[in-house]
Amino acid sequence: MKKRLLFALFTVLVIHVSAQETKRVLFLGNSYTGVNNLPQMIADVALSLGDTLIFDSNTPGGYTLNGHSTNAISQAKIAQGGWDFVVLQEQSQLPAFPYSQFSTASLPYSITLCNQIRAANSCAKPLFYMTWGRKNGDQANCAIYPPLCTYSGMQGQLRERYLLMGDTNIA
C-alpha cells in the first residue's frame, strides 16, 4: 500500500512537472515524509524525466498540521514564497480518529495552512500527502474506535479524511 501511495504522489507531481520544467515544492509533514527522504525520491523521479524539482522541507517526528501552523520554521518556509506546490502531511493516526476529534484537531489546521500558503503565494497549490493505515490497524486505539481495529478500517478512515481535507481546501 505504501508503494501505491508514493506512486500516486509521484504521479501528481510528475504530471505537474512536465515538459522539462523546474518546479519548487515545500514538504511539511513528519517522519512519514522525512525518514525515507520522500522529497529527494520525488526529485530523482522528476530528474529521470528531464525535469528539475527544487525542494525544501520541515518534517519533525510526530508533527501535526496544528504544529506546522505555528512552527517558526514551517512559517518561515511558507512565507519565503515562490513555491509551486506545498505538500501537507498530517500525523499518521489523527485523520483516522472519530470525526469529532478530526474536525477539531486536524481539519481547521489544514484550512489555516492552506490560507497561509495562498497568502504567501497565490499561485501555490497545496497538496495533501495521504498516509497509510498500519498493517494491523491502530491497536492502541481500537477499543475506543472500532474502525481502527484493522488495516482496511484505518485506511478507509484516512482516505475519507484526506479527501475531505483536499475538497475543503480547493481554491
Side-chain angles (χ1 to χ4, degrees):
M1 187 59 173
K2 290 179 192 177
K3 289 180 183 177
R4 284 194 289 182
L5 292 173
L6 288 175
F7 179 75
L9 183 60
F10 291 153
T11 302
V12 169
L13 287 175
V14 169
I15 287 171
H16 289 292
V17 181
S18 59
Q20 296 183 328
E21 294 184 37
T22 298
K23 296 291 182 180
R24 295 176 41 82
V25 180
L26 173 62
F27 292 84
L28 299 176
N30 56 47
S31 61
Y32 274 48
T33 297
V35 166
N36 294 310
N37 203 358
L38 179 64
Q40 185 61 58
M41 290 186 344
I42 294 173
D44 292 344
V45 170
L47 188 60
S48 76
L49 297 170
D51 299 316
T52 302
L53 184 74
I54 298 168
F55 65 87
D56 198 357
S57 64
N58 189 29
T59 59
Y63 238 62
T64 63
L65 295 180
N66 181 3
H68 284 294
S69 72
T70 59
N71 177 273
I73 295 169
S74 296
Q75 292 301 299
K77 290 178 185 294
I78 290 170
Q80 172 186 325
W83 304 111
D84 295 298
F85 302 97
V86 179
V87 178
L88 302 171
Q89 180 245 311
E90 179 61 279
Q91 189 273 345
S92 63
Q93 297 161 284
L94 190 53
F97 288 165
Y99 182 80
S100 60
Q101 186 174 351
F102 163 77
S103 68
T104 59
S106 187
L107 186 59
Y109 302 103
S110 74
I111 295 167
T112 297
L113 282 163
C114 288
N115 288 339
Q116 292 169 342
I117 292 162
R118 290 185 184 107
N121 181 353
S122 62
C123 294
K125 293 184 175 128
L127 300 174
F128 289 91
Y129 173 33
M130 180 174 63
T131 58
W132 49 92
R134 294 179 176 177
K135 182 178 180 180
N136 297 308
D138 183 352
Q139 295 305 304
N141 293 295
C142 171
I144 59 171
Y145 193 54
L148 298 177
C149 294
T150 64
Y151 164 78
S152 62
M154 185 177 185
Q155 186 61 40
Q157 292 295 107
L158 290 168
R159 182 180 185 282
E160 178 182 310
R161 303 296 166 60
Y162 269 96
L163 290 173
L164 178 59
M165 285 190 285
D167 289 345
T168 300
N169 289 291
I170 292 175

